[in-house]
């Protein structure tokens, strides 16, 4: 079937690598409290519209939000990324979100990056999810693409579609902090043992 | 750089950041694709690049492969041998003012390249990003179904 052929070709297209954009230097040690503080900052990023609007669930509908749109709303034009997450079932994301390294200066224009535009995997649905849900998902290799701490950081380094969140162009608000600070927080959180606030705290025995 | 436009090799010497739509219309004289919004919100500029529909106002020529294959409404069919979508468009008298129609036809043709029997929901999902201020959507949907049947029977 041609749709599947297109899908396979699209998924086979490698994202243009940009490794080396950030430094990956895990701290020697981090306490649970430092890990929780780092994850709180990670959640600010993950739940920010520049990230969560494409980390949507199994309705596959990307979201729009920002100063120009007011309240967050589904992507205009009845857009649905489908199970392929690249729109192969109906309208490919690449129809409008072309692959290019040119800065996104025009407000309201379809953002473009030097990689295939797509929704995040459905396992990483973050839109509308609370901090504990995202914390559990991000630390679980079965839900995070089989990544450990360093691989999560490397993913942020080389996947240029993620870099767009900090330089979205137009009048879009960038994700908080910076890419480097976000990578640093991933590393602090990882060295601390990926704590989540909802985890039971082990109490020392007095016996 | 070189582009293959409607089957003809064409040479371009332009700013790499020039959108394909500008290159087609102002440099190569291919005026079938229309300027509507310039920000991929309307679909009037839709063409095929290497067999897939794209908004040519968004694709900068510098980001295209040298020799990329570009098809516009002028190259979809010929006056004596129209594409099935063009035939169906005439049969259903889809166009009203006509400004968006080259983009509509190019998007519809790409839809039928990928799916030879789309249902109403699929047609709506694919065509919703091609706007028509005249509101010809019911005729667009009917024409796509007719074109799909023509292509299946061909």
């Amino acid at each position: 079937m041609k749709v599947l052929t297109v899908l396979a070709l699209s998924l086979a297209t490698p994202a243009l690598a940009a490794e080396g954009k950030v430094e990956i230097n895990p701290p020697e040690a981090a306490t649970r409290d430092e890990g929780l503080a780092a994850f709180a900052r990670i959640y600010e990023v993950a739940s920010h519209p520049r990230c969560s609007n494409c980390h949507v669930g199994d309705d596959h509908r990307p979201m729009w939000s920002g100063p120009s749109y007011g309240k967050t709303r589904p992507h205009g034009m009845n857009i649905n990324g489908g199970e392929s997450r690249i729109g192969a079932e109906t309208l490919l994301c690449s129809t409008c979100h072309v692959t290019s390294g040119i800065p996104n200066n025009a407000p309201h224009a379809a953002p473009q990056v030097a990689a295939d535009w797509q929704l995040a995997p459905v396992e990483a649905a973050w839109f509308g999810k609370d901090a504990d849900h995202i914390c559990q998902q991000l630390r679980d290799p079965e839900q995070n693409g089989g990544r450990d701490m360093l691989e999560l950081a490397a993913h942020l380094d080389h996947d240029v579609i993620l870099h767009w969140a900090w330089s979205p162009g137009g009048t879009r608000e960038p994700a908080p902090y910076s890419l480097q600070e976000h990578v640093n927080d991933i590393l602090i959180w990882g060295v601390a043992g990926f704590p989540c606030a909802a985890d039971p705290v082990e109490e020392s025995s007095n016996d | 750089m070189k582009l293959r436009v409607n089957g003809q090799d064409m040479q371009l010497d332009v700013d790499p950041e020039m959108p394909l739509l500008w290159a087609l219309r102002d440099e190569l004289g291919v005026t079938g694709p229309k300027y509507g919004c310039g920000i991929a919100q309307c679909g009037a500029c839709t063409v095929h690049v290497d067999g897939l529909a794209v908004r040519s106002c968004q694709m900068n020529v510098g980001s295209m492969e040298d020799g990329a294959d570009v098809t516009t409404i002028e190259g979809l069919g010929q006056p004596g041998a129209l594409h099935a979508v063009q035939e169906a468009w005439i049969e259903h008298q889809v166009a009203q003012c006509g400004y968006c129609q080259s983009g509509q036809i190019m998007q519809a043709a790409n839809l039928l390249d990928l799916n030879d029997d789309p249902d109403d929901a699929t047609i709506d999902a694919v065509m919703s990003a091609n706007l028509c201020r005249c509101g010809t959507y019911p005729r667009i949907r009917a024409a796509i179904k007719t074109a799909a049947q023509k292509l299946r029977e061909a």
Side-chain angles (χ1 to χ4, degrees):
Chain A
M1 186 178 180
K2 286 181 178 177
V3 171
L4 295 180
T5 305
V6 170
L7 168 61
L9 288 172
S10 298
L11 292 180
T13 305
L16 299 180
E19 286 168 279
K21 178 119 177 150
V22 297
E23 293 182 9
I24 300 177
N25 294 317
E28 290 186 7
T31 65
R32 181 176 188 275
D33 284 347
E34 288 169 336
L36 289 174
F39 184 77
R41 294 188 294 272
I42 292 168
Y43 180 67
E44 285 184 63
V45 174
S47 59
H48 188 276
R50 291 291 82 72
C51 299
S52 65
N53 282 357
C54 288
H55 278 260
V56 294
D58 57 10
D59 66 353
H60 313 300
R61 299 200 69 184
M63 304 297 286
W64 275 353
S65 59
S68 305
Y69 301 107
K71 187 179 177 184
T72 300
R73 48 156 291 184
H75 190 303
M77 310 159 203
N78 197 26
I79 293 299
N80 192 305
E83 290 186 9
S84 69
R85 308 292 272 184
I86 59 169
E89 296 83 351
T90 51
L91 190 66
L92 284 163
C93 305
S94 60
T95 306
C96 301
H97 296 274
V98 302
T99 301
S100 140
I102 293 174
N104 295 285
N105 294 325
H108 310 297
Q112 47 189 265
V113 295
D116 293 339
W117 197 263
Q118 58 189 291
L119 296 178
V122 72
E123 294 81 8
W126 294 346
F127 186 85
K129 303 295 186 184
D130 62 24
D132 190 56
H133 178 97
I134 295 177
C135 188
Q136 301 286 351
Q137 183 270 319
L138 259 182
R139 71 180 178 180
D140 179 0
E142 292 192 3
Q143 297 183 73
N144 75 7
R147 297 181 174 95
D148 62 17
M149 171 186 73
L150 292 176
E151 288 166 334
L152 281 175
H155 171 56
L156 284 156
D157 187 22
H158 65 65
D159 199 339
V160 297
I161 197 170
L162 308 179
H163 299 179
W164 172 82
W166 285 276
S167 56
T171 56
R172 301 176 190 89
E173 181 183 290
Y177 308 106
S178 67
L179 175 62
Q180 180 67 62
E181 289 170 315
H182 186 57
V183 168
N184 293 346
D185 282 332
I186 291 284
L187 296 171
I188 294 168
W189 182 50
V191 168
F194 293 119
C196 295
D199 291 342
V201 178
E202 293 181 17
E203 295 185 19
S204 57
S205 170
N206 293 325
D207 297 335
Chain B
M1 71 174 296
K2 280 193 302 187
L3 291 178
R4 188 164 180 79
V5 180
N6 297 327
Q8 291 190 316
D9 289 327
M10 295 189 172
Q11 191 72 34
L12 272 175
D13 183 16
V14 299
D15 184 331
E17 292 197 13
M18 176 180 282
L20 174 60
L21 177 62
W22 273 244
L24 289 169
R25 291 182 58 86
D26 295 348
E27 300 294 327
L28 303 177
V30 180
T31 56
K34 302 303 183 196
Y35 176 84
C37 65
I39 53 172
Q41 301 283 315
C42 77
C45 65
T46 303
V47 302
H48 298 175
V49 173
D50 294 330
L52 292 175
V54 297
R55 306 297 186 244
S56 61
C57 70
Q58 294 300 289
M59 179 164 276
N60 305 98
V61 293
S63 65
M64 299 175 70
E65 296 283 338
D66 198 39
D69 192 34
V70 179
T71 304
T72 71
I73 188 72
E74 289 93 338
L76 189 66
Q78 297 300 316
L82 295 178
H83 186 281
V85 173
Q86 292 169 311
E87 288 180 352
W89 239 249
I90 293 170
E91 289 171 21
H92 286 270
Q93 288 294 290
V94 171
Q96 186 161 318
C97 87
Y99 194 80
C100 70
Q101 297 294 317
S102 64
Q104 302 277 5
I105 290 170
M106 296 307 288
Q107 187 64 58
N110 193 224
L111 160 60
L112 297 180
D113 281 343
L114 302 173
N115 183 342
D116 66 2
D117 192 15
D119 58 19
D120 286 352
T122 301
I123 293 172
D124 291 351
V126 174
M127 301 303 296
S128 288
N130 285 80
L131 305 185
C132 174
R133 294 202 310 179
C134 303
T136 62
Y137 303 112
R139 297 201 293 274
I140 288 172
R141 188 198 279 172
I144 289 173
K145 289 193 166 186
T146 297
Q149 186 172 0
K150 286 174 181 283
L151 289 168
R152 288 196 304 272
E153 294 171 352

